[in-house]
Amino acid sequence: MIDYQGTIEAIYNNLKQAPEKGIVASYIPELSKQSSDRFGIHIQHIDGRTFQIGDWNVPFSIQSISKVLALSKAIAFEDNLIWKRMDVEPSGNPFNHLSLLELENGIPRNPLINAGALVVSDILISHLKHPKEDFLNYVRNITGDDTISYNLDVAASEQRTGYRNHAAANLLKSFDNLNNDVDVVLDFYFHQCALEMNCAQLSKAFYLFANKGKCFNDKQHISSSQAKRINAIMLTCGFYDEAGEFAFEVGLPGKSGVGGGIVALLPNDFVISTWAPGLNAKGNSLLGMQALEQFTTRTNRSIF
Ligand code: GLU
């Protein structure tokens, strides 16, 4: 039997002392308020057990991690149509890269880079009656937690400074790959990214991807085949231009965000979330990546 609690305690104590903690994101001004000393780990086992250490219950901005949740809702609406509007190939480029989008005629490389996530936002807006409210309710529902909310200051902060997202949305619109107004799509996207969760809530939110599409409360939200596909996209595209490195070091499907969160999972086994706001040069949480590498190495639990 694996000693999950002992393992994460050892990793936490080891990395807490690390001299190098990375740089907190500041291109969204509101995010720069976080301290790089924050560090938490949480495991949600599929059998219901949980293990946690450090700042696991402090809410943070999940940012790009929300793209997976949005995708799971969009895929439930438009299983096949969605892949006519975006691809499933890693981009090998940063999340906000634009030139590929122009070269490839407004078809984003995948749903986890910003351009793809904007198309996913567009799909959700077209299907949901009250898009922001309905999406929030979906997230609360799969997590079984009504306290989850958007951080409106973070959304407003990105609205003011998200120049590259404004550019990407306009480019998509010029290629006819957005059906709704650019401003409406951006407003939804900035709110979605401004979802705030702690590590425990994040682990619960991603439970359905480890459990063949069934959430924590045993409700089927996506098919097991859709869960498999989303896990494949996380593995190949979940870490900006460091997805190969994450697969190599950690060996789990997962997703990171510039707020310093990472969530990763082993299907039919567990979901693990880490939060440490200091980022490496590629925009992934420095301590989070190291913690997950140590975790899969020590426990020998990965998909490979
Ligand atoms: N809202 C952020 C942006 O679009 C998300 C970036 C991220 O977490 O990768 O720039």
PDB file of all heavy atoms in Angstrom, residues 27-28 63-64 67 95 114 158 165 189 193 240 256-258, ligand 1:
ATOM      1  N   TYR A  27       1.924  39.687 -15.706  1.00  0.00           N
ATOM      2  CA  TYR A  27       1.309  40.307 -16.896  1.00  0.00           C
ATOM      3  C   TYR A  27      -0.196  40.497 -16.702  1.00  0.00           C
ATOM      4  O   TYR A  27      -0.814  41.305 -17.376  1.00  0.00           O
ATOM      5  CB  TYR A  27       1.632  39.493 -18.169  1.00  0.00           C
ATOM      6  CG  TYR A  27       0.804  38.244 -18.345  1.00  0.00           C
ATOM      7  CD1 TYR A  27      -0.282  38.221 -19.210  1.00  0.00           C
ATOM      8  CD2 TYR A  27       1.090  37.087 -17.619  1.00  0.00           C
ATOM      9  CE1 TYR A  27      -1.052  37.074 -19.366  1.00  0.00           C
ATOM     10  CE2 TYR A  27       0.332  35.954 -17.771  1.00  0.00           C
ATOM     11  CZ  TYR A  27      -0.734  35.948 -18.634  1.00  0.00           C
ATOM     12  OH  TYR A  27      -1.496  34.814 -18.771  1.00  0.00           O
ATOM     13  N   ILE A  28      -0.770  39.729 -15.740  1.00  0.00           N
ATOM     14  CA  ILE A  28      -2.118  40.061 -15.257  1.00  0.00           C
ATOM     15  C   ILE A  28      -1.852  40.672 -13.877  1.00  0.00           C
ATOM     16  O   ILE A  28      -1.504  39.947 -12.927  1.00  0.00           O
ATOM     17  CB  ILE A  28      -3.011  38.802 -15.137  1.00  0.00           C
ATOM     18  CG1 ILE A  28      -3.152  38.127 -16.506  1.00  0.00           C
ATOM     19  CG2 ILE A  28      -4.376  39.161 -14.557  1.00  0.00           C
ATOM     20  CD1 ILE A  28      -3.890  36.782 -16.478  1.00  0.00           C
ATOM     21  N   GLN A  63      -6.782  30.050 -13.639  1.00  0.00           N
ATOM     22  CA  GLN A  63      -6.366  30.466 -14.992  1.00  0.00           C
ATOM     23  C   GLN A  63      -6.561  29.379 -16.053  1.00  0.00           C
ATOM     24  O   GLN A  63      -7.630  28.871 -16.202  1.00  0.00           O
ATOM     25  CB  GLN A  63      -4.929  30.996 -14.933  1.00  0.00           C
ATOM     26  CG  GLN A  63      -4.852  32.341 -14.205  1.00  0.00           C
ATOM     27  CD  GLN A  63      -5.650  33.431 -14.913  1.00  0.00           C
ATOM     28  OE1 GLN A  63      -5.646  33.544 -16.125  1.00  0.00           O
ATOM     29  NE2 GLN A  63      -6.376  34.243 -14.153  1.00  0.00           N
ATOM     30  N   SER A  64      -5.487  28.993 -16.743  1.00  0.00           N
ATOM     31  CA  SER A  64      -5.643  28.090 -17.895  1.00  0.00           C
ATOM     32  C   SER A  64      -6.170  26.704 -17.545  1.00  0.00           C
ATOM     33  O   SER A  64      -6.610  25.978 -18.438  1.00  0.00           O
ATOM     34  CB  SER A  64      -4.299  27.906 -18.593  1.00  0.00           C
ATOM     35  OG  SER A  64      -4.166  28.849 -19.606  1.00  0.00           O
ATOM     36  N   LYS A  67      -9.512  25.834 -18.782  1.00  0.00           N
ATOM     37  CA  LYS A  67      -9.763  25.491 -20.192  1.00  0.00           C
ATOM     38  C   LYS A  67     -10.213  24.043 -20.337  1.00  0.00           C
ATOM     39  O   LYS A  67     -10.966  23.702 -21.241  1.00  0.00           O
ATOM     40  CB  LYS A  67      -8.491  25.723 -21.023  1.00  0.00           C
ATOM     41  CG  LYS A  67      -8.117  27.206 -21.145  1.00  0.00           C
ATOM     42  CD  LYS A  67      -6.748  27.368 -21.774  1.00  0.00           C
ATOM     43  CE  LYS A  67      -6.366  28.839 -21.888  1.00  0.00           C
ATOM     44  NZ  LYS A  67      -4.965  29.020 -22.272  1.00  0.00           N
ATOM     45  N   PHE A  95       1.379  29.711 -24.777  1.00  0.00           N
ATOM     46  CA  PHE A  95      -0.086  29.690 -24.795  1.00  0.00           C
ATOM     47  C   PHE A  95      -0.717  30.850 -25.560  1.00  0.00           C
ATOM     48  O   PHE A  95      -1.828  30.752 -26.029  1.00  0.00           O
ATOM     49  CB  PHE A  95      -0.613  29.681 -23.349  1.00  0.00           C
ATOM     50  CG  PHE A  95      -0.199  30.894 -22.542  1.00  0.00           C
ATOM     51  CD1 PHE A  95      -1.039  31.983 -22.421  1.00  0.00           C
ATOM     52  CD2 PHE A  95       1.023  30.924 -21.906  1.00  0.00           C
ATOM     53  CE1 PHE A  95      -0.666  33.090 -21.680  1.00  0.00           C
ATOM     54  CE2 PHE A  95       1.416  32.031 -21.164  1.00  0.00           C
ATOM     55  CZ  PHE A  95       0.570  33.112 -21.059  1.00  0.00           C
ATOM     56  N   ASN A 114      -4.588  29.567 -25.907  1.00  0.00           N
ATOM     57  CA  ASN A 114      -5.607  30.603 -25.748  1.00  0.00           C
ATOM     58  C   ASN A 114      -6.579  30.678 -26.923  1.00  0.00           C
ATOM     59  O   ASN A 114      -7.788  30.809 -26.732  1.00  0.00           O
ATOM     60  CB  ASN A 114      -4.951  31.959 -25.534  1.00  0.00           C
ATOM     61  CG  ASN A 114      -4.351  32.059 -24.147  1.00  0.00           C
ATOM     62  OD1 ASN A 114      -4.247  31.053 -23.455  1.00  0.00           O
ATOM     63  ND2 ASN A 114      -3.950  33.247 -23.754  1.00  0.00           N
ATOM     64  N   GLU A 158      -7.459  41.273 -16.086  1.00  0.00           N
ATOM     65  CA  GLU A 158      -7.067  40.715 -17.392  1.00  0.00           C
ATOM     66  C   GLU A 158      -7.805  41.414 -18.536  1.00  0.00           C
ATOM     67  O   GLU A 158      -7.255  41.581 -19.628  1.00  0.00           O
ATOM     68  CB  GLU A 158      -7.300  39.200 -17.441  1.00  0.00           C
ATOM     69  CG  GLU A 158      -6.677  38.633 -18.697  1.00  0.00           C
ATOM     70  CD  GLU A 158      -6.601  37.117 -18.760  1.00  0.00           C
ATOM     71  OE1 GLU A 158      -7.190  36.444 -17.917  1.00  0.00           O
ATOM     72  OE2 GLU A 158      -5.940  36.640 -19.695  1.00  0.00           O
ATOM     73  N   ASN A 165      -4.875  38.398 -25.981  1.00  0.00           N
ATOM     74  CA  ASN A 165      -6.154  37.693 -26.125  1.00  0.00           C
ATOM     75  C   ASN A 165      -7.126  38.488 -26.988  1.00  0.00           C
ATOM     76  O   ASN A 165      -7.881  37.909 -27.773  1.00  0.00           O
ATOM     77  CB  ASN A 165      -6.760  37.398 -24.749  1.00  0.00           C
ATOM     78  CG  ASN A 165      -6.016  36.265 -24.050  1.00  0.00           C
ATOM     79  OD1 ASN A 165      -5.658  35.283 -24.683  1.00  0.00           O
ATOM     80  ND2 ASN A 165      -5.760  36.426 -22.761  1.00  0.00           N
ATOM     81  N   TYR A 189     -14.336  34.408 -21.448  1.00  0.00           N
ATOM     82  CA  TYR A 189     -13.023  33.769 -21.274  1.00  0.00           C
ATOM     83  C   TYR A 189     -12.290  34.319 -20.044  1.00  0.00           C
ATOM     84  O   TYR A 189     -11.717  33.557 -19.256  1.00  0.00           O
ATOM     85  CB  TYR A 189     -12.196  33.967 -22.553  1.00  0.00           C
ATOM     86  CG  TYR A 189     -10.765  33.503 -22.411  1.00  0.00           C
ATOM     87  CD1 TYR A 189     -10.442  32.154 -22.433  1.00  0.00           C
ATOM     88  CD2 TYR A 189      -9.722  34.423 -22.225  1.00  0.00           C
ATOM     89  CE1 TYR A 189      -9.125  31.725 -22.283  1.00  0.00           C
ATOM     90  CE2 TYR A 189      -8.412  34.009 -22.081  1.00  0.00           C
ATOM     91  CZ  TYR A 189      -8.118  32.657 -22.103  1.00  0.00           C
ATOM     92  OH  TYR A 189      -6.818  32.238 -21.945  1.00  0.00           O
ATOM     93  N   CYS A 193     -11.233  32.079 -16.750  1.00  0.00           N
ATOM     94  CA  CYS A 193      -9.853  31.976 -16.250  1.00  0.00           C
ATOM     95  C   CYS A 193      -9.744  32.487 -14.817  1.00  0.00           C
ATOM     96  O   CYS A 193      -8.829  32.105 -14.087  1.00  0.00           O
ATOM     97  CB  CYS A 193      -8.900  32.776 -17.138  1.00  0.00           C
ATOM     98  SG  CYS A 193      -8.592  32.011 -18.731  1.00  0.00           S
ATOM     99  N   TYR A 240       1.830  24.142 -22.109  1.00  0.00           N
ATOM    100  CA  TYR A 240       2.424  25.122 -23.025  1.00  0.00           C
ATOM    101  C   TYR A 240       3.468  24.425 -23.888  1.00  0.00           C
ATOM    102  O   TYR A 240       3.234  23.308 -24.342  1.00  0.00           O
ATOM    103  CB  TYR A 240       2.999  26.312 -22.246  1.00  0.00           C
ATOM    104  CG  TYR A 240       2.080  26.806 -21.149  1.00  0.00           C
ATOM    105  CD1 TYR A 240       2.453  26.817 -19.809  1.00  0.00           C
ATOM    106  CD2 TYR A 240       0.790  27.245 -21.452  1.00  0.00           C
ATOM    107  CE1 TYR A 240       1.583  27.262 -18.804  1.00  0.00           C
ATOM    108  CE2 TYR A 240      -0.080  27.692 -20.464  1.00  0.00           C
ATOM    109  CZ  TYR A 240       0.330  27.687 -19.149  1.00  0.00           C
ATOM    110  OH  TYR A 240      -0.531  28.115 -18.178  1.00  0.00           O
ATOM    111  N   SER A 256      -1.671  23.021 -16.374  1.00  0.00           N
ATOM    112  CA  SER A 256      -1.154  24.056 -15.474  1.00  0.00           C
ATOM    113  C   SER A 256      -1.807  25.394 -15.799  1.00  0.00           C
ATOM    114  O   SER A 256      -2.461  25.543 -16.833  1.00  0.00           O
ATOM    115  CB  SER A 256       0.359  24.177 -15.643  1.00  0.00           C
ATOM    116  OG  SER A 256       0.627  24.659 -16.944  1.00  0.00           O
ATOM    117  N   GLY A 257      -1.609  26.347 -14.904  1.00  0.00           N
ATOM    118  CA  GLY A 257      -2.118  27.700 -15.134  1.00  0.00           C
ATOM    119  C   GLY A 257      -1.113  28.706 -14.604  1.00  0.00           C
ATOM    120  O   GLY A 257      -0.310  28.364 -13.719  1.00  0.00           O
ATOM    121  N   VAL A 258      -1.172  29.934 -15.135  1.00  0.00           N
ATOM    122  CA  VAL A 258      -0.186  30.932 -14.712  1.00  0.00           C
ATOM    123  C   VAL A 258      -0.407  31.433 -13.277  1.00  0.00           C
ATOM    124  O   VAL A 258       0.417  32.171 -12.748  1.00  0.00           O
ATOM    125  CB  VAL A 258      -0.104  32.144 -15.681  1.00  0.00           C
ATOM    126  CG1 VAL A 258       0.458  31.739 -17.021  1.00  0.00           C
ATOM    127  CG2 VAL A 258      -1.444  32.825 -15.826  1.00  0.00           C
TER     128      VAL A 258
HETATM  129  N1  GLU B   1      -5.981  34.034 -18.618  1.00  0.00           N
HETATM  130  C1  GLU B   1      -4.630  33.750 -18.963  1.00  0.00           C
HETATM  131  C2  GLU B   1      -4.313  34.269 -20.364  1.00  0.00           C
HETATM  132  O1  GLU B   1      -5.100  34.093 -21.234  1.00  0.00           O
HETATM  133  C3  GLU B   1      -4.417  32.263 -18.876  1.00  0.00           C
HETATM  134  C4  GLU B   1      -2.991  31.908 -19.121  1.00  0.00           C
HETATM  135  C5  GLU B   1      -2.571  30.616 -18.505  1.00  0.00           C
HETATM  136  O2  GLU B   1      -2.879  30.291 -17.367  1.00  0.00           O
HETATM  137  O3  GLU B   1      -1.876  29.912 -19.224  1.00  0.00           O
HETATM  138  O4  GLU B   1      -3.306  34.850 -20.583  1.00  0.00           O
END
